[in-house]
Amino acid sequence: MKCLLAASRDGNTTEEKITFGGQGTGPGKFDQNPGVAVSADHEIFVTDLFNRRVQVYNMRGVHLRLFPTIVPGDNETMLPFGVAIDGEGHLWVVGRTNFYLLQPNGSFLQSFGTEKGVEISYVTTDNDGRILLTENLGTGMMSKYGHVKASDGVHVYDRIGHWLFKFGALGGEDRLRLPRGICVDASGNVFVADEGRGSV
């Protein structure tokens, strides 16, 4: 994983690139790392998909800790994909048709299922505490060439897991073909990377 750090020294901004991680199963190594989020405490949280865990680093790329994505009551750990940090410092982690609320130390707080079992991939939170999730390409409509023609957009839930609405869905003028990464700025504007259209 590569990270670009920017620092101000004597009024001048300098940039420094650091690389950490690499392929593997040991602490600090990844077996696909699709999601990343940075906390207000300057800790970097990275989902480690096939190692079924979340790993945590400081801003210099030093490995601090890891925790398996174990859901109480399940027989297996879930495959973590997207990750986000809300205004209270809690983690939201996506696991296919569910999304999970965790403490920064990995302690499980709560799990939520998606509306009608929709598969999801990336997550963010907004200033009102709502959870925004992009639908996974696995539920999109496939063309004869195997490419996704459309998905059902972005699904929005409240903080206790109630589905509220969706946007960018099939049939609308603002239809998203393959929504992936998503974030919300301080003014509440939502940015969605649409891989299917090569646009934001």
Side-chain angles (χ1 to χ4, degrees), residues 12 41 44 66 82 90 102 106 159 163 170 186:
N12 297 316
D41 295 327
I44 304 170
L66 61 83
H90 295 123
L102 306 173
R159 190 174 178 80
W163 186 86
L170 292 171

Side-chain angles (χ1 to χ4, degrees), residues 15-162:
E15 294 182 349
E16 177 185 359
K17 292 181 181 179
I18 62 171
T19 301
F20 55 91
Q23 182 72 24
T25 59
K29 301 296 184 180
F30 302 115
D31 189 356
Q32 293 196 25
N33 49 321
V36 61
V38 180
S39 73
D41 295 327
H42 307 294
E43 290 186 333
I44 304 170
F45 293 79
V46 186
T47 52
D48 188 359
L49 184 64
F50 292 111
N51 286 326
R52 297 174 182 261
R53 62 193 182 188
V54 174
Q55 303 208 61
V56 189
Y57 303 79
N58 68 17
M59 295 300 289
R60 304 298 306 175
V62 176
H63 186 258
L64 301 177
R65 62 187 183 276
L66 61 83
F67 50 86
T69 47
I70 298 174
V71 180
D74 286 359
N75 294 325
E76 297 182 358
T77 52
M78 61 97 169
L79 291 167
F81 208 86
V83 60
I85 299 174
D86 65 21
E88 297 180 2
H90 295 123
L91 296 182
W92 291 89
V93 180
V94 168
R96 195 174 180 184
T97 59
N98 294 282
F99 51 107
Y100 305 89
L101 180 61
L102 306 173
Q103 295 279 18
N105 64 3
S107 298
F108 175 86
L109 294 176
Q110 201 166 0
S111 66
F112 307 94
T114 58
E115 177 78 0
K116 299 180 181 179
V118 166
E119 293 189 10
I120 49 179
S121 53
Y122 292 93
V123 58
T124 193
T125 63
D126 69 11
N127 300 331
D128 296 319
R130 293 177 296 195
I131 316 304
L132 290 77
L133 301 148
T134 56
E135 185 172 317
N136 193 319
L137 63 89
T139 55
M141 296 174 59
M142 307 299 290
S143 74
K144 63 180 180 180
Y145 302 107
H147 300 301
V148 173
K149 294 176 64 178
S151 80
D152 216 14
V154 175
H155 297 257
V156 182
Y157 292 77
D158 66 18
R159 190 174 178 80
I160 57 175
H162 294 147

